[in-house]
Amino acid sequence: MTKAPKAAPSSVNPDWWRGAVIYQVYPRSFQDTDGDGIGDLKGVTRHLPYIASLGVDAIWLSPFFTSPMADMGYDVSDYCDVDPMFGTLADFDEMMTEAHRLGLKVVIDQVISHSSDQHPWFVESRSSRDNPKADWYVWANAKPDGTAPTNWLSVFGGPAWEWDGVRKQYYMHNFLSSQPDLNFHNREVQDALLDTLRFWLDRGVDGFRLDTVNYYFHDKLLRDNPPHMPDSEDAGLDAPDVNPYGMQNHLHDKTQPENVAFLKRLRAVLDEYPDRTTVGEVGDGARSLKTVADYTSGGDKLHMCYTFDLLGPQFTPQHIRGCVTAFEMAVADGWVCWAFSNHDVNRHVSRFIHGEHERETVAKLAISVLATLRGSICLYQGEELGLPEAELSFADLRDPYGIRFWPAFKGRDGCRTPMPWEFGRDHAGFSTAKPWLPVPAEHRALAVDGQDGHARSVLTHYRHTLAFRKAHPALRAGAMTFLQTNGNILAFTREVEEEKLLFVFNLSREEQELTLPDDCVVASAIEMPGLTGTHSGRTVTVPALDGFCGRF
């Protein structure tokens, strides 16, 4: 382990994350610089100026730690080193220096709910029932008939328990059997994991994205989960409906009350370092917003969380308004990070369009909506190009989740294909070798060099829209109030002391009119990139899949 001196903070604003725009980089698919077909940290560094040119505030870097890569790096075997596939610690430090030079914060993934089964901690833990780390993972005896201790299921299919012949016990795994769950009820485990966070904080990272943050603790009594009742307010689906995981109400295998105290310990570590942040991933079905409230309230736990609410197929006024309103009601003093896409879901352009002819229009409208919501926002690499979901054959798949449930569920590889940089280069300029996943022809046609500098491209629209967001204080942290509309229009105001803005978005395929309330008098229209709606008196007219922005 190579240690670095404590890095100076990259800003003097402790609340930089509030209203920030974060760009997610999936390193293995961003840029390959050594010709092995897999992206690396040097590739991230090479394109940091491009990321900065978008107008974002930070990058979120998906896992690059030492790993056997059974789950693409979300199975960590060394929390304090870089996998040789991605480079070295020196490469990481070089990337950090360049990011901070460009004014970009760096948030890194932390996958601490589970490790790889090749992590030295687990190797020792499974060696006997009485070694120093015997209780560092979740072990349990079989039932008298030899079956698993509980009925808990793995997100990736099958039971959440795997038999180990050496200890003659089962160990718990919420995901792959090669991803054993750490035992957070053990204080030593908590201490060791918090030390790994300090390692990266000392290297200057500006924060952590906490993977599966509500999965850290399990029910110590090992009680079975009850069934999910379709008409009830229980956990709901955190998995595709082809997966029996959604048939349980996950009361006992995640989201345990002890997690709140641990998150306070984690926050205390972050508070030792100036200007740092945390964003937690909460997958908890219908309970997600309550969980976010528990985890972000009080200023002594997580800074913000995101849920899966906007990562589904709905791109409707009712759904977006419902998600935002429910969050505002449930989370009085917390903060949310909204996103339409990430590395775990189909790209949102493909989820939202009613035909390929809409792709560019919907791509532009989606960022216009996202950029005006109250909260921080996260963009996923390639969405600024309007990339659709890639259609891959079974032979191309690398995702164990997709392989397990093929063909009913195709997994996550379709959103993880390499970033297309240059239209005329082999593999769209991602690599000189065959990439780990193919570059679809339709992605090559949308490469960065073909959109850069073109006034009407999706890429240019993203840059202009993010600049618009940054130029208006009301969009950074202003209050948000929805207006009553028909079911086709999303309308709301954003307001701080110095400005009050009106946004009207038509998410339908036909022109729409909105009559504003008597007390809503638009002083003037504001030119927001790509929006062509107009107003006359109290009437706002918006073309299909378009919007309007005005100032009161």
Side-chain angles (χ1 to χ4, degrees):
M1 181 191 303
T2 303
K3 288 199 171 184
K6 284 194 176 184
S10 58
S11 81
V12 292
N13 176 16
D15 287 332
W16 65 265
W17 49 271
R18 194 179 292 273
V21 180
I22 304 168
Y23 183 89
Q24 182 189 355
V25 175
Y26 194 68
R28 66 168 48 232
S29 292
F30 200 59
Q31 178 69 72
D32 172 26
T33 64
D34 59 9
D36 64 356
I38 297 171
D40 44 54
L41 292 178
K42 285 184 179 292
V44 177
T45 304
R46 176 184 296 179
H47 290 297
L48 285 174
Y50 164 80
I51 298 173
S53 79
L54 298 174
V56 305
D57 301 291
I59 64 170
W60 151 24
L61 205 63
S62 292
F64 53 86
F65 314 107
T66 308
S67 166
M69 300 294 163
D71 187 25
M72 306 305 147
Y74 282 86
D75 49 322
V76 179
S77 56
D78 187 341
Y79 286 104
C80 297
D81 205 355
V82 174
D83 192 279
M85 173 188 297
F86 297 121
T88 65
L89 278 170
D91 295 333
F92 177 84
D93 293 338
E94 179 185 357
M95 182 209 67
M96 288 291 306
T97 299
E98 177 65 1
H100 286 167
R101 184 187 73 80
L102 292 167
L104 293 170
K105 305 288 189 180
V106 179
V107 174
I108 65 173
D109 235 315
Q110 284 294 296
V111 192
I112 59 175
S113 68
H114 53 267
S115 75
S116 165
D117 62 357
Q118 296 183 31
H119 195 293
W121 297 346
F122 187 72
V123 172
E124 182 174 356
S125 185
R126 78 189 311 177
S127 66
S128 68
R129 295 194 188 188
D130 57 3
N131 66 79
K133 291 185 172 56
D135 193 36
W136 276 44
Y137 291 81
V138 183
W139 294 94
N141 292 326
K143 290 181 177 179
D145 62 359
T147 56
T150 70
N151 70 344
W152 301 346
L153 296 173
S154 161
V155 175
F156 285 174
W161 297 97
E162 182 74 7
W163 177 256
D164 182 76
V166 174
R167 286 186 52 144
K168 297 180 181 178
Q169 287 181 306
Y170 284 94
Y171 65 84
M172 180 185 173
H173 59 92
N174 271 302
F175 299 93
L176 295 176
S177 61
S178 58
Q179 293 171 296
D181 274 57
L182 284 150
N183 180 17
F184 277 74
H185 292 289
N186 185 329
R187 182 85 172 194
E188 291 181 351
V189 171
Q190 295 185 26
D191 292 343
L193 291 169
L194 293 175
D195 282 345
T196 68
L197 267 60
R198 289 188 178 92
F199 174 85
W200 295 106
L201 290 165
D202 287 344
R203 298 197 96 85
V205 302
D206 300 289
F208 301 104
R209 179 263 187 185
L210 297 164
D211 185 67
T212 58
V213 72
N214 59 310
Y215 284 71
Y216 292 168
F217 284 83
H218 66 286
D219 174 35
K220 291 183 75 172
L221 299 179
L222 299 182
R223 288 172 285 188
D224 282 349
N225 285 329
H228 164 68
M229 304 304 293
D231 297 326
S232 72
E233 291 297 321
D234 65 23
L237 282 174
D238 289 322
D241 62 6
V242 302
N243 185 348
Y245 185 84
M247 298 172 70
Q248 289 186 357
N249 182 4
H250 293 273
L251 292 180
H252 302 304
D253 51 352
K254 61 183 181 182
T255 320
Q256 299 303 293
E258 296 93 334
N259 204 26
V260 171
F262 172 72
L263 294 180
K264 290 182 178 180
R265 293 197 69 202
L266 187 150
R267 176 60 176 266
V269 170
L270 268 289
D271 287 346
E272 296 171 12
Y273 300 78
D275 305 346
R276 311 303 166 96
T277 195
T278 50
V279 53
E281 177 197 32
V282 173
D284 206 17
R287 287 192 296 262
S288 286
L289 291 175
K290 180 184 183 305
T291 303
V292 170
D294 292 342
Y295 289 4
T296 63
S297 63
D300 59 351
K301 296 175 282 294
L302 301 182
H303 297 80
M304 53 185 168
C305 286
Y306 77 86
T307 71
F308 295 88
D309 294 78
L310 296 184
L311 298 177
Q314 304 98 328
F315 186 54
T316 65
Q318 299 95 323
H319 181 69
I320 295 171
R321 177 174 178 163
C323 290
V324 175
T325 301
F327 172 80
E328 296 286 346
M329 291 178 61
V331 188
D333 62 343
W335 197 251
V336 70
C337 185
W338 299 113
F340 284 143
S341 282
N342 68 20
H343 66 294
D344 280 335
V345 298
N346 286 3
R347 289 189 174 272
H348 69 261
V349 166
S350 293
R351 302 199 316 266
F352 295 166
I353 61 175
H354 292 179
E356 173 58 25
H357 64 285
E358 293 184 352
R359 182 192 55 77
E360 186 171 312
T361 301
V362 169
K364 293 177 179 179
L365 180 61
I367 185 57
S368 298
V369 173
L370 189 67
T372 53
L373 298 181
R374 184 174 186 268
S376 302
I377 65 173
C378 190
L379 313 178
Y380 178 53
Q381 68 179 48
E383 73 170 77
E384 75 276 13
L385 305 177
L387 296 187
E389 182 78 358
E391 290 293 330
L392 303 177
S393 69
F394 181 77
D396 289 326
L397 294 191
R398 298 294 179 266
D399 178 17
Y401 198 8
I403 292 170
R404 171 67 175 79
F405 286 102
W406 178 276
F409 172 63
K410 297 181 180 180
R412 303 164 294 178
D413 286 331
C415 68
R416 298 178 174 184
T417 53
M419 183 79 170
W421 295 103
E422 300 174 77
F423 172 77
R425 294 280 302 277
D426 289 344
H427 314 300
F430 165 73
S431 176
T432 57
K434 180 181 178 181
W436 74 286
L437 286 174
V439 179
E442 59 268 32
H443 285 198
R444 180 195 298 271
L446 301 173
V448 171
D449 68 342
Q451 297 197 40
D452 198 11
H454 288 261
R456 301 185 64 181
S457 72
V458 175
L459 175 58
T460 297
H461 181 81
Y462 263 71
R463 286 173 171 151
H464 289 169
T465 300
L466 296 182
F468 180 90
R469 176 182 169 94
K470 191 165 289 187
H472 290 277
L475 294 180
R476 189 82 181 191
M480 184 174 185
T481 304
F482 286 99
L483 304 182
Q484 289 297 326
T485 73
N486 63 32
N488 297 311
I489 291 179
L490 179 70
F492 52 86
T493 62
R494 297 296 311 278
E495 180 178 7
V496 291
E497 186 174 335
E498 59 266 42
E499 69 175 354
K500 182 177 181 179
L501 305 178
L502 168 70
F503 296 95
V504 180
F505 294 106
N506 177 7
L507 305 190
S508 78
R509 273 69 185 172
E510 296 179 354
E511 182 181 281
Q512 299 289 327
E513 285 190 352
L514 173 66
T515 301
L516 298 172
D518 292 340
D519 58 349
C520 287
V521 180
V522 177
S524 62
I526 297 178
E527 187 175 342
M528 183 174 175
L531 304 188
T532 66
T534 59
H535 84 289
S536 176
R538 290 173 42 237
T539 301
V540 177
T541 304
V542 187
L545 297 174
D546 206 327
F548 169 82
C549 178
R551 176 182 282 114
F552 292 109

